[in-house]
Amino acid sequence: MLQASHNPLVASPVRIVAAVLEGRVRLMPFEPKQEAIGFHRSMADAVAAHDAKAAAAAMRQIVTEAHQAMSSSMFAASK
């Protein structure tokens, strides 16, 4: 997705994003939430449609969901 944007500022941190996603996978349950999959699908659809507003809204949903999921996972691990 980052490389498909053809935006050098967005595409350049591909390795960093890959590392973050790899770390998240280790923290999160194996089965992804259907809601999260839907957010990513919305993001991909918005990018494909060149709809910047919808892409931004989808990305906010992705980041919010990821933050909430990781916060609960980290909180549970600290107990």
Side-chain angles (χ1 to χ4, degrees):
M1 178 90 61
L2 295 175
Q3 291 172 330
S5 73
H6 301 291
N7 180 333
L9 293 175
V10 173
S12 62
V14 170
R15 288 187 185 132
I16 295 168
V17 171
V20 169
L21 292 175
E22 185 178 313
R24 183 176 190 262
V25 168
R26 290 182 190 154
L27 291 173
M28 301 307 299
F30 182 73
E31 287 294 320
K33 292 171 44 179
Q34 291 302 310
E35 179 184 43
I37 292 171
F39 295 153
H40 284 82
R41 188 169 293 124
S42 295
M43 177 67 178
D45 291 345
V47 170
H50 303 281
D51 186 340
K53 286 184 181 182
M59 184 50 82
R60 279 191 292 278
Q61 290 177 312
I62 291 168
V63 171
T64 299
E65 187 278 329
H67 180 264
Q68 290 170 345
M70 290 182 78
S71 293
S72 358
S73 176
M74 293 171 89
F75 178 74
S78 69
K79 286 186 171 188

